[in-house]
Amino acid sequence: MMGCALCGPGVNHGARTAPEANESGVESGSGRGTGTGAWLKSEPLPLSEAQKGLIRESWKILHEDIARVGIIMFIRLFETHPECKDVFFIFRDIDDLQELKMSKELQAHGLRVMSFIEKSVARLSQEDKLEQIAFELGRSHCRYSAPPKYYEYVGVQFISVVKPIVKENWTQEVEDSWKSLFSYLTAVMKRGYHEEERKDGVNKANYGTQAPSVRPGATGSVQNDV
C-alpha cells in the first residue's frame, strides 16, 4: 500500500473531483458491472474459514504493536527496495534510515497502512466490502501515481516484521494465510489502479489533459485514502 506526495493539509483546488461512490462501491450514475467504476469480482477470496481464523488470532497479538510494525515495515521496504522512496517525494533525498525512523510523516503513513490491514481483517467475512476497500485504494493510488509494481512488496515486509512478534504462534499455516490475503488485496488493488487509469485515459481523450482526481477535503496525499 504505497503512499505518495506526503504534503501538508489543504485541498488541491486545481484538481478535478472524483465521482462519489454509493454504498455498493459503484460511482453514482454507473450501474454495477456496466458503468465505469464498478468493482465486480474477478476472483474469489482465496481463504478458508480456518485460514481466516488464523489471521484474526495473529492480528490480536499484533494489534498492540501496530505503530512499531508500521514504521519497521517501511524502513525495511526502503532498505530492500530503495527505489520505493521515489513515490514519497518527501523522503526521496533522505538516506539516513535513523532519520527516517524518527519521521512523523512516515510514522503516520505506517499507521494508516496498518489501519487498512486492520479493516481488511475485520471484513474477512464480508467479501464484497473487503473487495470494495481494496479496489478503491487501488484507484486512489493511480490518482497519486503509486504504481502497482510496489504493492506486493508491502505484504512481504509485513510478514518479515511480524514473525518475531507473534513468536511461537507463527506457523507455516499462519504465514500461508497472510500471503494469500496480501496476494488477493494486491490483485484487487491492481484492478482498481488499471480501472482508474483506463478512466483517466478516456477522460483525457474526451476533454483533454486534466489534473489528478482528488476527493473533496483530500490533502493530495494517498495516505489519507488508506
Side-chain angles (χ1 to χ4, degrees), residues 36-92:
T36 301
W39 46 274
L40 271 174
K41 293 181 189 138
S42 64
E43 67 280 313
L45 179 64
L47 291 170
S48 66
E49 289 304 313
Q51 288 178 311
K52 292 176 185 178
L54 290 172
I55 289 174
R56 292 187 186 104
E57 288 305 309
S58 56
W59 180 257
K60 288 178 184 177
I61 300 171
L62 297 170
H63 185 265
E64 300 302 318
D65 236 353
I66 59 173
R68 185 164 68 94
V69 171
I71 193 71
I72 295 174
M73 182 171 67
F74 275 96
I75 292 298
R76 289 193 180 178
L77 181 65
F78 294 154
E79 285 179 323
T80 55
H81 298 282
E83 71 276 12
C84 290
K85 284 201 298 181
D86 289 342
V87 183
F88 299 80
F89 70 75
I90 198 169
F91 306 134
R92 206 169 284 171

Side-chain angles (χ1 to χ4, degrees), residues 23-41:
E23 279 296 312
S24 68
V26 182
E27 290 173 1
S28 301
S30 70
R32 180 180 172 92
T34 57
T36 301
W39 46 274
L40 271 174
K41 293 181 189 138

Side-chain angles (χ1 to χ4, degrees), residues 50-66 69 114 117 121 124 158-159 162-163 165-171 173-179 181-182:
Q51 288 178 311
K52 292 176 185 178
L54 290 172
I55 289 174
R56 292 187 186 104
E57 288 305 309
S58 56
W59 180 257
K60 288 178 184 177
I61 300 171
L62 297 170
H63 185 265
E64 300 302 318
D65 236 353
I66 59 173
V69 171
M114 295 302 290
I117 296 172
V121 173
L124 287 175
F158 173 86
I159 288 173
V162 302
K163 275 184 182 182
I165 296 174
V166 179
K167 298 178 181 177
E168 66 273 6
N169 292 302
W170 190 269
T171 64
E173 289 77 14
V174 172
E175 182 165 332
D176 289 344
S177 299
W178 278 105
K179 283 181 177 178
L181 175 59
F182 276 109

